[in-house]
Amino acid sequence: MNGLVSYYPVLKALHLAFMVTWFAGLFYLPRLFIYHVEAGNEPEACRRFETMERRLFGIMTIGAVLTAGFGLMLLVANPALLDRSWFLLKLALLAGLIAFHYRCHSWIARLSRREFALSTRWLRWFNEIPAFFLLAIVLLAVTKYPA
């Protein structure tokens, strides 16, 4: 028997806890981008936002890596998940979420070069994307639908 099976509840709890950490960053970082753009070319404010964005990205990346690590341990403990449609959909959403995460990294670089968006409207829409991922992933994991 797989040794990780007896730790399954602990692994799942850690997976969820670090997922919360990751999503906290995914929800707040795009909001920082909006504030950064609204600060304009004010050097002190821009430096402050750049520092905040870099630090938050680091924290949320740690959350992402630990979420993935504990998720992989759960998968090793229960490889039958790969036979479930809901889980495969969850993995597809995870790929999209990782792409969003790295898109945030590109915005950090863009803003540090003072390449501001003409308006914050697009960033406000961008800020809502993690909510879609969270809702879809949680619904799949809780309902286990489609089987």
Side-chain angles (χ1 to χ4, degrees):
M1 176 175 269
N2 187 330
L4 290 176
V5 171
S6 59
Y7 295 103
Y8 202 85
V10 173
L11 295 172
K12 187 183 266 189
L14 291 169
H15 177 69
L16 289 171
F18 288 110
M19 186 261 327
V20 170
T21 302
W22 185 16
F23 268 95
L26 291 171
F27 283 131
Y28 191 59
L29 186 60
R31 177 56 52 181
L32 286 177
F33 297 158
I34 293 166
Y35 298 149
H36 191 156
V37 170
E38 289 175 345
N41 285 319
E42 187 181 322
E44 185 177 322
C46 286
R47 279 193 302 275
R48 184 173 50 247
F49 283 117
E50 288 167 16
T51 300
M52 292 169 67
E53 291 159 0
R54 268 193 329 273
R55 288 180 180 171
L56 182 56
F57 188 81
I59 292 166
M60 67 188 238
T61 299
I62 292 168
V65 168
L66 290 171
T67 299
F70 286 111
L72 285 171
M73 286 187 225
L74 289 167
L75 188 54
V76 168
N78 185 9
L81 288 170
L82 291 172
D83 296 329
R84 303 290 182 203
S85 296
W86 70 267
F87 187 77
L88 297 176
L89 286 171
K90 180 183 172 190
L91 290 178
L93 287 167
L94 176 61
L97 194 59
I98 291 168
F100 180 85
H101 184 98
Y102 283 100
R103 180 72 171 126
C104 286
H105 187 266
S106 70
W107 268 102
I108 291 170
R110 182 177 179 177
L111 292 173
S112 71
R113 292 187 308 264
R114 306 292 189 267
E115 295 175 8
F116 298 130
L118 296 176
S119 80
T120 58
R121 185 177 180 153
W122 188 88
L123 284 171
R124 290 178 193 281
W125 281 105
F126 184 74
N127 188 55
E128 301 303 323
I129 294 172
F132 162 77
F133 282 105
L134 179 63
L135 183 61
I137 289 169
V138 168
L139 282 172
L140 286 169
V142 170
T143 65
K144 310 242 187 297
Y145 180 81

